[in-house]
Structure formats: structure tokens, C-alpha cells
Amino acid sequence: MGGFLQTVFAVTIYMLLLVLLPFTLLVATPFVLLWPGRRLPGGGRAKRDIEGRYRKILDFWVELGKGLPT
């Protein structure tokens, strides 16, 4: 019975991660799109790396999933 409950718990956590991913990306979108680029030494701003910003969020999400029980 303990193994079954552990499996149900793990599946529930993975499903919760899958459901929360779109919500997390939706909440992060205004920050990703509107946050200015890095300051350059000349006083200007660098181009915003939108793909890189989303990649950081997804990389964090993958690392979070790796720490879950299997």
C-alpha cells in the first residue's frame, strides 16, 4: 500500500507541475517582455533577450522536476 501511495503522490506532483507551467509562463510574460535590457558601458541599453529569459524559466522548471521523486 505504501508503494502505491508513493506512486500516486509522485504522479500528482508531476501533474501539478504540468498544470502550473502555463500559468507560470503567463504570469512571467509581462516581466519578460517589459523589463529593459542590461545597461551598456556607453550609457545605452542592450537588446532584450526574450528567448533567453524564457529559457531561464524553463531551465528552472526542469531542475525543479529533476528533484522530484520518481
Side-chain angles (χ1 to χ4, degrees), residues 24-43:
T24 303
L25 292 175
L26 186 67
V27 169
T29 296
F31 298 101
V32 168
L33 295 178
L34 298 176
W35 201 270
R38 229 177 305 129
R39 273 225 188 260
L40 295 175

Side-chain angles (χ1 to χ4, degrees), residues 1-25:
M1 185 70 176
F4 174 73
L5 288 178
Q6 184 178 5
T7 304
V8 169
F9 177 70
V11 168
T12 304
I13 294 295
Y14 280 114
M15 292 302 294
L16 187 63
L17 263 173
L18 287 174
V19 169
L20 289 179
L21 178 62
F23 178 74
T24 303
L25 292 175

